[in-house]
Amino acid sequence: MSLREVFEQNPDRRYIMFGGKGGLGKTTFSAATAYWLAKTGKKVLVFSVDPQASLTDIFQQDIFGRGPVKIMDNLWAQEVDADRRIREYQQEIRQKILDMYGFDKVPDEIENYLQAAGAEPAMEESAIFDAVVDIIKEGSYDYYIYDLVPLGHALYYLKMARIYDEWINKITSLREEMAEYDRMASVMKRGQETEEDKILEELVYIKQRINTSSQILTDRQKTAFFFVVVPEEMIILDTQNAARLFADYVPIAGYVVNRLIPDELLKQNIPGYLRHRIAMQKTYVDKIGEVFGDKVKAFVPELERDVTGLAMVEKLAHIMYGDF
């Protein structure tokens, strides 16, 4: 089954991810897939969860932190401004603390904690995760294409739904265990009952958002995850290992092999270096066939230049999906 057939035979898979080590072609494949789907009449959003996103470079438009930006008919692209999201996050927390406890000012200890937490890498990942929940919950696109971060961070990102869910479950459980105490306390101090109810409401709200994201990520009917791999030994080994880890979190729909040096070059007078590279590559292409079998959905050649601008995105889309 080709990459195109995977899409055509599974029209309900609306959440598409390309993953792999950094620099293998995740973002260009995401852009080309979004382009192809848009050309077939589907309304598509391609968005990046990578703080060092490069959709702006590929589409040659400034889309960072501007929400969904229209690229062409049916196609929008978005890069999340994590720093701004963190500032909004912090302000939301401040306001909720003021609302819940009736303070005139956020206590210094909490403010210091918010400032320190804002500088943590985990806060950036959390902010992006939260932004993505907003994006997919909005639900106005036919397809959502995730431009993921490299493997290690991507796994962490995919785990976040489960980690957050377990954390919220524990907090909610503790809250419920304290319900009897709360009722007694509320009799003694009536105003406290309202404050604690707000806390529980907030926990339930967060849990609903996390569950929405988690259910989509793990739903084999709605989600497809493709690994990007190149014909090199270490990349093949890393992809094998990653596939075993990722299988617990996302439905793996196949593998796309990138950067194949065309065999036709062997008919030309080319340097020995290039001949050796092509020979070595053939060995690893055979290895990819042995390891991943019919789950390999497409082979993409090394292109003559970087995939930037719609003309190159279209060219790549034709290579990946054929005529359209």
Side-chain angles (χ1 to χ4, degrees):
M1 184 186 297
S2 69
L3 186 59
R4 180 174 184 147
E5 289 170 335
V6 172
F7 281 83
E8 291 177 341
Q9 295 182 20
N10 300 278
D12 292 333
R13 289 180 178 173
R14 302 172 53 216
Y15 303 92
I16 311 300
M17 303 177 201
F18 286 94
K21 294 197 74 171
L24 300 188
K26 297 185 300 297
T27 307
T28 53
F29 283 2
S30 298
T33 299
Y35 184 95
W36 169 62
L37 289 167
K39 281 290 185 181
T40 61
K42 302 296 190 295
K43 187 178 178 183
V44 184
L45 175 69
V46 55
F47 60 95
S48 180
V49 300
D50 190 345
Q52 297 179 321
S54 53
L55 289 173
T56 285
D57 299 327
I58 287 177
F59 290 121
Q60 296 181 324
Q61 288 192 42
D62 181 13
I63 60 176
F64 180 73
R66 299 175 57 196
V69 174
K70 187 170 184 176
I71 304 299
M72 63 183 208
D73 287 347
N74 294 325
L75 175 57
W76 284 259
Q78 183 170 355
E79 289 178 345
V80 175
D81 182 346
D83 289 338
R84 187 170 71 189
R85 187 76 181 183
I86 289 171
R87 291 194 295 273
E88 293 171 353
Y89 228 3
Q90 291 170 317
Q91 187 53 38
E92 285 176 20
I93 293 171
R94 289 187 190 98
Q95 193 58 52
K96 284 172 181 173
I97 289 171
L98 295 177
D99 291 344
M100 285 180 185
Y101 296 100
F103 295 146
D104 296 326
K105 174 179 175 295
V106 175
D108 290 342
E109 294 83 356
I110 296 176
E111 180 60 37
N112 291 340
Y113 173 78
L114 284 173
Q115 294 296 333
E120 291 288 332
M123 179 64 91
E124 184 177 60
E125 291 160 348
S126 174
I128 292 176
F129 181 89
D130 197 56
V132 171
V133 173
D134 280 343
I135 290 170
I136 60 178
K137 276 192 71 176
E138 199 265 335
S140 62
Y141 297 90
D142 297 321
Y143 280 88
Y144 294 84
I145 314 292
Y146 293 62
D147 171 29
L148 283 176
V149 286
L151 283 177
H153 286 290
L155 184 61
Y156 182 72
Y157 170 82
L158 295 171
K159 283 180 176 178
M160 285 179 75
R162 191 175 295 180
I163 294 170
Y164 281 2
D165 192 43
E166 291 175 359
W167 181 73
I168 292 294
N169 277 338
K170 286 183 180 177
I171 298 293
T172 306
S173 176
L174 285 172
R175 174 67 188 88
E176 290 170 349
E177 288 176 9
M178 293 175 65
E180 186 62 29
Y181 170 80
D182 291 340
R183 279 194 290 272
M184 292 174 62
S186 67
V187 171
M188 300 171 66
K189 186 178 180 183
R190 185 169 299 277
Q192 187 73 9
E193 183 176 19
T194 304
E195 292 165 3
E196 295 298 338
D197 283 345
K198 286 181 179 177
I199 293 172
L200 189 57
E201 286 174 10
E202 183 67 16
L203 289 171
V204 171
Y205 170 72
I206 294 171
K207 183 175 173 61
Q208 288 172 341
R209 287 171 57 80
I210 292 169
N211 284 344
T212 298
S213 178
S214 181
Q215 286 166 6
I216 288 172
L217 290 175
T218 57
D219 190 332
R220 294 182 182 278
Q221 301 302 315
K222 295 180 179 177
T223 300
F225 184 98
F226 297 95
F227 273 106
V228 181
V229 59
V230 299
E232 294 178 12
E233 183 175 17
M234 291 308 298
I235 299 297
I236 296 170
L237 290 173
D238 285 347
T239 304
Q240 276 184 281
N241 293 332
R244 284 191 284 271
L245 296 172
F246 277 60
D248 288 339
Y249 297 94
V250 290
I252 298 174
Y255 299 80
V256 182
V257 184
N258 196 19
R259 294 185 178 164
L260 293 174
I261 304 172
D263 288 347
E264 289 77 12
L265 290 177
L266 292 172
K267 299 173 183 175
Q268 302 177 21
N269 183 23
I270 57 175
Y273 165 80
L274 193 51
R275 287 187 180 277
H276 288 305
R277 292 292 301 180
I278 293 174
M280 182 190 73
Q281 179 179 269
K282 184 178 184 317
T283 300
Y284 291 127
V285 168
D286 292 342
K287 178 71 174 178
I288 287 171
E290 292 172 13
V291 172
F292 302 119
D294 62 1
K295 292 182 179 177
V296 177
K297 302 304 179 187
F299 293 90
V300 179
E302 184 85 72
L303 299 182
E304 69 275 15
R305 70 174 183 84
D306 292 341
V307 179
T308 54
L310 282 183
M312 285 302 291
V313 173
E314 180 180 14
K315 180 174 182 175
L316 179 58
H318 277 292
I319 292 170
M320 294 175 70
Y321 297 101
D323 295 335
F324 52 87

